[in-house]
Amino acid sequence: MGENAQGKTNLLESIYVLALARSHRTSSDKDLIRWQEKEATISGRVKKSISDTPLSLHFSNKGKKARVNHLEQSKLSQYIGQLNVILFAPEDLELVKGAPSVRRRFIDMEFGQMNPLYLYNTTQYRRILKERNAYLKRLQMKQTTDTIFLDVLTEQLVDIGSQVLLARQTFLERLEVAAQPIHAEISNKRETLTLRYQTSLDFEKETDLATIKLVFEQTLKKQQSREIMQGSTLVGPHRDDIQFIVNDNDVAVFGSQGQQRTTALAIKLAEIDLMQQETGEYPILLLDDVLSELDANRQTHLLLAIQDKVQTFITAPTLSDVARQLIHAPRVFHVKQGEIVLEEQVE
């Protein structure tokens, strides 16, 4: 607890960065280093049922170094997954009504923690996409006329992109199963939640990897002249989206603010159980000033769902009456000007 601009979010951000090696607030690692300083370090110990592992990240102008059990990791994909976290902040309400990029980032960050192969494939996809777009720009500017290299990049994009797309569909199907009963309970059984993966490729939902590859390849061939004209890859997972349907209506377009918040809350709570199923351990839950954004009913559902099950860090200026009634013996820390002081345990 603490007043605004005292450093509460910094603490949660450091836990998030320790888990994912990147911030949820900035894309630049330089922003994680205190002003006038040249480097920064985050470290912690992760205690699981069968292990106790030190983790650390070091940031400097030379980049970042990640260590697991004091051993430097050559690839971040080997580091991510040691510590699993789920962050719920006021901006996460934008998950439902925000831009498609918000939802793509959500699925990549969450599924990437649970599945190292997916994390690797999305990294590879972004690399190939960047290279392909650069070559399309060269073709657009008439700096080259050779499309053979474009064909090679297209083949690589189709191969990796199809695996990403199929994995996303599988993840969303499992997330839907976990979220539906939670959403129904919060809405007092009045609403039904459905998740739809919206892809720029035309194929049936129930399909296999070979079919996705074929459709992806054929679509890119049809779009090739347009892509060269625009200097950009026009179809693929980087253009896809997630649609949240409540009682047969797109909640982003037709839902009330309350329905949008219920949907976002149900998705976040569903992630907790899904991550436990996938990894065998519950994640750490980070609630960054989110209780003040939820009414008493949604606060109650949130706090009862995590009670005595998930290690949770909550930031707030003060604890609401609902939170004080529902959180069993919380450890309360006061944050002031970047300093953290533990209050005596409150009953």
Side-chain angles (χ1 to χ4, degrees):
M1 293 196 298
E3 296 179 8
N4 291 333
Q6 298 301 303
K8 301 190 301 296
T9 295
N10 285 22
L11 175 60
L12 265 60
E13 183 180 22
S14 67
I15 299 170
Y16 186 91
V17 173
L18 187 65
L20 292 165
R22 60 184 289 186
S23 171
H24 65 288
R25 297 201 294 178
T26 176
S27 58
S28 172
D29 290 341
K30 291 179 182 178
D31 293 339
L32 300 176
I33 301 174
R34 189 195 296 266
W35 288 327
Q36 278 82 51
E37 298 292 340
K38 295 180 180 179
E39 54 189 9
T41 299
I42 307 171
S43 61
R45 298 186 72 87
V46 182
K47 293 189 177 184
K48 297 185 179 180
S49 54
I50 57 171
S51 64
D52 183 348
T53 309
L55 299 181
S56 70
L57 282 170
H58 183 78
F59 298 90
S60 69
N61 56 9
K62 297 178 182 178
K64 58 190 165 194
K65 293 180 179 179
R67 289 184 170 86
V68 178
N69 211 6
H70 308 297
L71 299 175
E72 188 172 334
Q73 304 299 301
S74 58
K75 295 179 181 177
L76 284 177
S77 58
Q78 297 171 331
Y79 174 87
I80 296 170
Q82 303 290 331
L83 168 62
N84 292 319
V85 300
I86 292 173
L87 172 73
F88 194 19
E91 58 264 29
D92 285 304
L93 297 170
E94 290 294 312
L95 177 64
V96 175
K97 60 182 181 179
S101 59
V102 174
R103 289 179 285 279
R104 287 193 296 269
R105 186 176 186 275
F106 155 75
I107 196 171
D108 287 348
M109 297 297 285
E110 308 308 331
F111 196 30
Q113 290 187 71
M114 296 182 249
N115 190 310
L117 178 59
Y118 180 80
L119 180 66
Y120 174 79
N121 283 341
T122 52
T123 302
Q124 290 296 100
Y125 182 83
R126 283 191 288 268
R127 180 187 62 76
I128 297 165
L129 178 67
K130 184 177 180 180
E131 196 172 352
R132 190 174 188 272
N133 283 342
Y135 198 73
L136 284 168
K137 280 285 185 190
R138 291 189 64 200
L139 289 165
Q140 179 195 41
M141 303 294 289
K142 305 270 193 298
Q143 293 173 348
T144 183
T145 58
D146 182 9
T147 60
I148 294 175
F149 185 54
L150 179 64
D151 293 339
V152 172
L153 292 171
T154 298
E155 184 179 342
Q156 293 176 352
L157 194 78
V158 166
D159 182 49
I160 296 292
S162 299
Q163 295 179 61
V164 169
L165 200 155
L166 185 60
R168 282 181 179 177
Q169 281 195 328
T170 303
F171 173 71
L172 285 173
E173 286 167 9
R174 296 209 301 272
L175 186 63
E176 180 185 74
V177 170
Q180 281 179 337
I182 297 170
H183 189 277
E185 187 178 343
I186 299 173
S187 64
N188 295 316
K189 307 291 191 295
R190 292 193 300 264
E191 297 175 355
T192 302
L193 174 65
T194 306
L195 308 186
R196 291 180 188 165
Y197 186 62
Q198 293 187 305
T199 177
S200 46
L201 304 176
D202 185 18
F203 55 80
E204 297 298 322
K205 180 180 177 183
E206 301 296 333
T207 191
D208 56 20
L209 185 61
T211 304
I212 294 173
K213 282 185 177 181
L214 181 63
V215 174
F216 198 175
E217 186 177 25
Q218 290 174 343
T219 306
L220 284 173
K221 281 184 179 177
K222 289 178 186 175
Q223 295 285 347
Q224 182 167 302
S225 59
R226 278 188 65 214
E227 289 187 329
I228 292 172
M229 193 183 304
Q230 296 188 28
S232 179
T233 304
L234 300 178
V235 293
H238 63 290
R239 292 290 186 101
D240 293 350
D241 198 0
I242 308 166
Q243 192 177 29
F244 300 101
I245 308 295
V246 172
N247 291 353
D248 298 321
N249 291 316
D250 184 340
V251 72
V253 180
F254 300 106
S256 66
Q257 187 179 58
Q259 286 176 316
Q260 291 171 350
R261 293 188 170 201
T262 295
T263 300
L265 179 56
I267 293 297
K268 285 292 176 179
L269 291 177
E271 277 187 81
I272 295 172
D273 290 325
L274 187 58
M275 203 169 279
Q276 192 275 333
Q277 291 167 20
E278 289 295 308
T279 66
E281 299 274 351
Y282 280 109
I284 289 174
L285 182 62
L286 309 174
L287 302 178
D288 190 12
D289 211 15
V290 79
L291 292 182
S292 61
E293 299 288 325
L294 301 173
D295 60 23
N297 175 52
R298 293 182 181 86
Q299 278 191 42
T300 299
H301 278 285
L302 170 59
L303 295 172
L304 287 178
I306 63 177
Q307 186 63 269
D308 300 326
K309 183 169 75 172
V310 184
Q311 183 181 10
T312 305
F313 290 82
I314 300 173
T315 64
T318 58
L319 275 182
S320 68
D321 291 339
V322 173
R324 285 200 176 274
Q325 290 170 19
L326 292 178
I327 302 174
H328 299 161
R331 297 185 74 194
V332 179
F333 299 83
H334 292 277
V335 182
K336 188 173 183 180
Q337 295 182 341
E339 297 293 324
I340 304 171
V341 179
L342 173 63
E343 183 183 281
E344 286 189 8
Q345 194 160 321
V346 179
E347 296 297 333

